[in-house]
Amino acid sequence: MNPFRVEIPQADVDDLRRRLTDVRWPAALPDTGWTRGVPLDHLRELADYWRTGFDWRAREAELNRYPQFTTEIDGQRIHFLHVRSDRPDAKPLLVTHGYPSSVAEFLTLIGPLVDPAEGQAFHVVAPSLAGYGFSTPLSGTGWTMGRTARAWVELMRRLGYERYGVHGGDIGGGVSGMVAGLDPEHVTGAHVVTDPFTAAAVATFIPGLADRLDGDDPVDKLILDRIERFRTEDSGYLAIQNTRPQTMGCGLVDSPVMQLAWIAEKFEEWTDLPIDRDQLLTTVSLYWFTGAGASAAHTLYDQAHSADWGAPPVVPQGFAVFGADETVRRLVPAPADAHWTEFPRGRHFPAMEAPAELAADLRTFFGPLT
């Protein structure tokens, strides 16, 4: 376990600003809004703020408030935050981010978990997925969710935790479930966050699911409409990364505006509570400075071409649904006795959109588990 601090060379910061100054912008088509991607006026404003107003060193210092480490597992450097609580009753909790995100997603969640005003406290372990953030560069191909789950089990073993909970959303939710399936002797429970649109997107990859839905039922009809929209309108970002990550990666690591547009589009589409520009640009900056745009795409390719989905969890399960509606119950295979909480607002990034609500649900779920 090697102590780690985020220390981006000033030359890299200066190079970013130079590239943002020398952008070659495409011509804008009038009256298209968000229908064809990020509007140029919105993207220009973000890029200008990234160049002239965003304080990377302040965000770097915020990341460095928390103890960080790297270790090598299965030939891959893994970066992680390990923040221990002073509370004697604190329970270990392994939290895993998704796409397009990073451990910066948890910066506003860690405090309420480690030092809550009341209720259960946690020791938080937050790894960067292989190929993301400072878990770069990729050591090779094959970093699927199953392989990641096995690495996380080893990480928690090295940290000496005999009992621990797991939490995540998006890719992190899949990894967390697989960790629980792989290590039920040590995992106390698995907690996953989702939302109606993420659930529908995942449903597009479940063979035969659409055939089992009744188009005359209003809830099933809503699900079918969302599945069709994802297939025809919203899945382009995934299709190209699942098939041509190397080609896409050339643009993501060479053009900061390409990387900015790639992530800003998803923050716009996948949230309904505000995430400020500094939060967005912290995530984008981590992708830019580490070249994670390309390596993250390679891991998405590997998962798309893998049959390794791990074993199902056999530990207590909890679900927090943000922006909840009646469709999610039909799409999420939750056991009858699962903990289930629905929140009216928030979507794909609840740790950033609604950290207080998410922290409270984690305390409620894991508090009684031993």
Side-chain angles (χ1 to χ4, degrees):
M1 300 290 180
N2 302 303
F4 179 86
R5 284 179 58 83
V6 182
E7 294 176 326
I8 300 300
Q10 185 59 42
D12 291 356
V13 177
D14 294 340
D15 177 67
L16 169 61
R17 289 175 177 153
R18 178 189 62 77
R19 289 170 182 261
L20 290 170
T21 300
D22 296 337
V23 177
R24 184 183 182 191
W25 295 99
L29 289 175
D31 304 321
T32 56
W34 284 85
T35 61
R36 303 187 181 208
V38 184
L40 280 181
D41 56 351
H42 178 77
L43 192 59
R44 281 178 179 270
E45 181 182 353
L46 276 175
D48 185 63
Y49 178 73
W50 196 11
R51 180 175 63 87
T52 63
F54 177 69
D55 187 347
W56 165 252
R57 293 302 182 198
R59 304 303 282 187
E60 189 177 70
E62 186 175 359
L63 282 162
N64 285 330
R65 285 173 48 213
Y66 298 115
Q68 299 170 66
F69 302 86
T70 61
T71 190
E72 185 175 304
I73 302 177
D74 194 9
Q76 173 65 44
R77 180 170 88 154
I78 299 296
H79 163 262
F80 62 99
L81 279 62
H82 186 197
V83 190
R84 293 185 57 84
S85 174
D86 291 332
R87 290 265 297 270
D89 65 337
K91 297 179 178 180
L93 180 63
L94 173 66
V95 300
T96 306
H97 66 85
Y99 180 86
S101 195
S102 69
V103 293
E105 176 179 343
F106 301 120
L107 289 179
T108 53
L109 182 67
I110 290 173
L113 292 178
V114 171
D115 187 23
E118 57 183 2
Q120 182 64 54
F122 298 92
H123 306 304
V124 176
V125 180
S128 297
L129 291 166
Y132 292 68
F134 297 102
S135 291
T136 50
L138 272 180
S139 59
T141 61
W143 275 97
T144 62
M145 289 193 293
R147 185 176 178 184
T148 300
R150 291 188 287 274
W152 279 197
V153 170
E154 172 62 16
L155 175 63
M156 296 304 279
R157 186 196 67 78
R158 291 184 189 182
L159 292 173
Y161 289 126
E162 289 295 323
R163 300 288 284 166
Y164 62 94
V166 292
H167 159 77
D170 188 64
I171 295 170
V175 170
S176 295
M178 291 183 192
V179 170
L182 286 166
D183 198 24
E185 295 155 358
H186 300 103
V187 174
T188 60
H191 184 276
V192 172
V193 293
T194 191
D195 65 85
F197 295 91
T198 301
V202 172
T204 64
F205 301 102
I206 300 176
L209 175 68
D211 297 333
R212 300 195 293 269
L213 298 174
D214 180 0
D216 293 328
D217 178 278
V219 177
D220 283 1
K221 178 65 165 57
L222 183 55
I223 294 171
L224 287 168
D225 289 346
R226 286 177 179 164
I227 289 174
E228 182 63 16
R229 176 175 175 81
F230 182 77
R231 284 175 174 162
T232 60
E233 299 288 338
D234 298 335
S235 60
Y237 79 98
L238 192 57
I240 192 169
Q241 292 180 111
N242 284 353
T243 57
R244 298 293 185 271
Q246 186 69 52
T247 304
M248 188 69 221
C250 291
L252 292 173
V253 302
D254 186 61
S255 168
V257 168
M258 181 65 203
Q259 183 66 84
L260 175 62
W262 200 247
I263 294 179
E265 178 184 274
K266 299 311 166 198
F267 272 56
E268 175 68 22
E269 292 179 344
W270 294 351
T271 62
D272 73 350
L273 290 173
I275 294 176
D276 69 32
R277 291 183 300 179
D278 286 344
Q279 287 179 303
L280 165 62
L281 291 171
T282 300
T283 296
V284 178
S285 296
L286 284 172
Y287 276 75
W288 173 255
F289 288 131
T290 63
S295 51
H298 281 292
T299 66
L300 295 174
Y301 176 97
D302 287 331
Q303 185 59 48
H305 293 79
S306 171
D308 180 9
W309 292 95
V314 292
V315 301
Q317 295 181 58
F319 298 85
V321 184
F322 287 82
D325 66 16
E326 63 272 29
T327 66
V328 183
R329 278 280 191 182
R330 297 198 184 180
L331 290 173
V332 174
D337 61 349
H339 167 91
W340 186 277
T341 310
E342 296 184 352
F343 298 93
R345 300 294 305 279
R347 293 257 317 266
H348 192 71
F349 304 103
M352 290 187 279
E353 295 178 81
E357 290 85 349
L358 177 54
D361 199 61
L362 289 166
R363 287 194 291 270
T364 299
F365 174 63
F366 285 109
L369 303 181
T370 58

